Amino acid sequence: MAFAKVYPMLVQKAERKGRTKEEVDQIIRWLTGYDQKGLDKQIRQQTDFETFFAQAPAMHPNAPLIKGVVCGIRVEEVEDPLMQKIRWLDKLVDELAKGKAMEKILRA
């Protein structure tokens, strides 16, 4: 699945709750190490999730601190590394949509 197909849904999830595309981008950049230009390029190129995460400059060292449930699945128990990264991203955007403060979302 192309990251670019899921990205608008992540933005919509946040915007429905009064958050912004810029906040979603900030979360993605924090998690993956992409700068905005790199993130935009991945979206334009219709990169699949595997490539998106494989080409990420640096997964944030605090990413393993992301815990909780997404779609009934505990993100910290997901064994497949790619699926865990996808679930981490989804969990962070869920936290944003639920009104959590950005510094808490980014495990700062």
Side-chain angles (χ1 to χ4, degrees):
M1 163 128 355
F3 171 74
K5 293 197 183 286
V6 175
Y7 174 75
M9 291 183 255
L10 297 173
V11 172
Q12 288 172 359
K13 181 191 295 188
E15 288 179 341
R16 278 194 305 267
K17 299 293 183 166
R19 302 308 286 258
T20 67
K21 173 191 174 296
E22 289 74 22
E23 289 174 307
V24 173
D25 288 356
Q26 181 181 355
I27 286 170
I28 296 169
R29 292 191 316 264
W30 175 87
L31 180 62
T32 63
Y34 283 110
D35 60 16
Q36 191 63 47
K37 187 176 179 179
L39 175 58
D40 293 342
K41 180 181 177 187
Q42 293 293 329
I43 294 167
R44 269 194 323 278
Q45 291 179 335
Q46 300 284 310
T47 305
D48 62 47
F49 267 107
E50 186 172 4
T51 304
F52 176 77
F53 283 114
Q55 293 179 352
M59 293 300 291
H60 198 282
N62 287 347
L65 299 177
I66 302 167
K67 304 205 183 308
V69 178
V70 175
C71 300
I73 298 170
R74 295 207 66 77
V75 297
E76 61 271 24
E77 295 174 1
V78 175
E79 292 182 17
D80 178 84
L82 174 61
M83 187 54 65
Q84 186 172 54
K85 290 171 185 162
I86 294 168
R87 295 289 182 180
W88 283 342
L89 177 57
D90 199 21
K91 178 65 178 164
L92 294 174
V93 175
D94 277 356
E95 290 176 356
L96 179 69
K98 290 178 180 172
K100 202 169 190 181
M102 189 61 80
E103 53 273 0
K104 295 232 183 234
I105 295 169
L106 302 183
R107 277 63 181 169

